[in-house]
Amino acid sequence: MQNTFSPSVRTRISRPNAPWKSRRRAFTLIELLVVIAIIAILAAMLLPALAAAKEKAKRTQCLNNLRQLAIGQNTYAPDNSDYLLPARDGGGSPDVFVQVCLNPPEVSATAALGLVVSSNAASVWTCPNRPGFPIFEPSYPQWDIGYQYFGGITNWLNEVGNFAANSPVRLGRSKGSWTLAADCVCKIDGTWGLPQGTTRDDVIYSNTPQHGSKQGSPPQGGNQSFVDGSARWVPFQQMYRLTTWNADGSRIYYMYQEDLPPAVNNVLQYLHGHP
């Protein structure tokens, strides 16, 4: 049978993608905006969870750092006549100790234990939320560390008084439950965190408190390690302002310890953590 289709019709039949055929429908602007809105909502729901997971990881790393400090000092003390590495003394006064600093002569002694005190490097002497520490201040001179450290402290100084401390000086005479190191849970000039508009070069207070706190808000708590090598998270409600180098209440640091001197127990109600 002779093909009666014209050449133009035959061409259209053999070309399914010819212009006259229906094309795929594109997104409209409204549909695109709806998709973007859904993605934004999902991101808003996921970001808090991701932030919480990131903070949990940092808390875990912080806890491991503090545990390493405790284990390291248990190794250091037997080779140092049973004495732990001491915190910085307060300018020659036998009763004042700066628990967030170390003196230069002592810091080199812990390098062999892997507890290196140096700037611009990852260190067990600071929390991941306080990058940049330790920091050397040549004007004193002293090393600012990212934790509170209670080794060698013989006296606890606070706004209520000056007390003989239950802090580890000699390892063999210390109880395993005594606090050796802790997060910097501090309130400076009545403010949680570095006060706004501060002009002093107080880098030692930067990024504090470092866990679960917004600027001007009390913290959720902090990590602490103990003489027996253990470490754990302590809620803020269990902490006390037991010692600092300024007894006027302008530099308040909090920590937890269950074994307290009798004189401190008598005034404990005045030292409890408060927002």
Side-chain angles (χ1 to χ4, degrees):
M1 180 184 296
Q2 184 179 1
N3 191 342
T4 59
F5 288 112
S6 67
S8 60
V9 172
R10 287 200 301 269
T11 303
R12 289 181 181 176
I13 292 175
S14 62
R15 293 172 58 199
N17 293 327
W20 62 273
K21 296 290 287 184
S22 172
R23 294 181 179 178
R24 180 177 296 178
R25 181 173 171 269
F27 278 112
T28 65
L29 178 59
I30 293 178
E31 289 172 332
L32 183 60
L33 291 175
V34 169
V35 171
I36 293 174
I38 293 173
I39 293 174
I41 292 171
L42 291 175
M45 295 171 62
L46 289 174
L47 283 177
L50 292 174
K54 185 177 181 180
E55 169 59 20
K56 185 176 181 180
K58 288 184 176 181
R59 286 190 188 185
T60 300
Q61 184 179 345
C62 176
L63 194 68
N64 289 336
N65 286 349
L66 288 166
R67 186 179 290 112
Q68 286 185 58
L69 290 180
I71 294 172
Q73 290 307 309
N74 274 269
T75 305
Y76 171 83
D79 294 331
N80 191 44
S81 302
D82 200 42
Y83 286 93
L84 285 81
L85 180 77
R88 175 176 168 78
D89 61 272
S93 172
D95 297 333
V96 179
F97 296 87
V98 185
Q99 76 268 26
V100 291
C101 297
L102 301 173
N103 285 321
E106 283 79 20
V107 298
S108 59
T110 59
L113 302 173
L115 307 179
V116 179
V117 179
S118 63
S119 56
N120 301 318
S123 175
V124 296
W125 290 97
T126 189
C127 172
N129 282 334
R130 303 194 73 196
F133 287 87
I135 298 172
F136 182 64
E137 292 192 273
S139 57
Y140 287 99
Q142 65 185 20
W143 281 95
D144 301 340
I145 58 176
Y147 292 122
Q148 297 185 77
Y149 176 74
F150 301 96
I153 293 181
T154 60
N155 290 75
W156 287 348
L157 183 66
N158 54 56
E159 68 266 35
V160 180
N162 192 340
F163 307 92
N166 278 7
S167 284
V169 178
R170 300 188 67 173
L171 185 62
R173 299 181 182 179
S174 304
K175 291 186 177 181
S177 60
W178 288 1
T179 300
L180 178 66
D183 275 325
C184 285
V185 179
C186 61
K187 193 173 188 180
I188 307 301
D189 295 334
T191 302
W192 289 107
L194 191 65
Q196 296 293 324
T198 299
T199 56
R200 294 176 55 194
D201 186 24
D202 283 338
V203 295
I204 197 171
Y205 311 122
S206 61
N207 297 326
T208 59
Q210 61 262 55
H211 294 296
S213 174
K214 297 180 181 179
Q215 180 69 39
S217 302
Q220 295 179 4
N223 289 315
Q224 292 191 197
S225 63
F226 303 89
V227 172
D228 63 3
S230 64
R232 67 180 180 89
W233 174 263
V234 178
F236 175 69
Q237 292 76 11
Q238 297 180 13
M239 295 183 178
Y240 299 89
R241 50 187 189 277
L242 296 177
T243 186
T244 184
W245 59 96
N246 266 18
D248 60 4
S250 63
R251 302 291 181 268
I252 298 176
Y253 280 76
Y254 291 87
M255 48 92 80
Y256 164 81
Q257 187 163 302
E258 62 183 22
D259 181 46
L260 302 174
V264 174
N265 269 321
N266 293 335
V267 296
L268 200 58
Q269 67 270 25
Y270 304 110
L271 301 174
H272 199 278
H274 57 78

